[in-house]
Each structure stands twice: as structure tokens, then as C-alpha cells.
Amino acid sequence: MIYVFLVLSIILFVGCIKRFGVVPKVSHVISEARESLSVMSSTLINDEKKERIIQTASIKMLGSFFSILGRVGASVGISVGCAMLGTVLGFYTTEEVIATTSDWYFIGGSTVAMCIGWYIFK
């Protein structure tokens, strides 16, 4: 029964990451970082303007960091909540969850399952 809840938690995690828009947000941060690097290396922009542009970008990226942190935290929380639901219902113990999820076969299998799930939910 533990594997049913763990598989469901993996599906929920992948679904939440997709639903909460984590990847587009990370892509946006990466593009902002690239723009900032191009501004810093530009010889056409004076230092004062560079500093203003970089400070503005830094504040935006800090906000994006907290946004990504919240989205990933919610995804992990929902996933862990699903896995722990089985303990609340009495199907297994917390120690069994930890032992099962710490097993290398489970880690490898769940990694493959998440990658497959990522492409299925695309």
C-alpha cells in the first residue's frame, strides 16, 4: 500500500510543478541573468546606467527566487502530505516511508518515473 501512496505523491509532485509554473519562472530568471551579464559586459552603457539596470534586475531576481521557492515548497508539501496520508490512515508508519524512500531502487525508479511523468504531462 505504501507504493500506491508514493506513486501518487510522485504524480502530484510532477503535476504541481507543472501547474504552479515553476519551469517557466526559472526560465525567466535565467533569461534575466543573461541580460544582466550582457549589460555588465557592454561597453556602450556607462557605469551609472549599468548599476541601475543591474540593481533593478537583482531586485526582480530576488522576488523571483522567493516565488520559485514558494512554488516548489508547495509542490513538495503536497507530495509529502500525500505520502504521509497513508500514515494517518494507518496503512504504514513514518519509519516505513523513510526506509522505502531511502532505498536506492526507489530513488532510481522514482527519478525515472518523474522524468517519464514530466513528458507525459507535457
Side-chain angles (χ1 to χ4, degrees), residues 42-94:
S42 175
T43 57
L44 303 174
I45 303 172
N46 66 27
D47 288 342
E48 291 172 9
K49 189 171 183 180
K50 282 182 186 181
E51 188 173 335
R52 279 196 315 269
I53 293 170
I54 297 302
Q55 284 177 351
T56 303
S58 297
I59 292 169
K60 285 181 184 177
M61 286 176 31
L62 183 63
S64 295
F65 167 76
F66 286 113
S67 174
I68 292 166
L69 182 65
R71 294 169 193 215
V72 171
S75 299
V76 170
I78 290 168
S79 178
V80 169
C82 175
M84 298 314 290
L85 180 63
T87 63
V88 172
L89 298 175
F91 292 124
Y92 46 83
T93 65
T94 305

Side-chain angles (χ1 to χ4, degrees), residues 20-32 60 63-68 71:
F20 295 155
V22 173
V23 174
K25 192 68 173 176
V26 170
S27 296
H28 179 70
V29 169
I30 291 171
S31 68
E32 282 185 0
K60 285 181 184 177
S64 295
F65 167 76
F66 286 113
S67 174
I68 292 166
R71 294 169 193 215

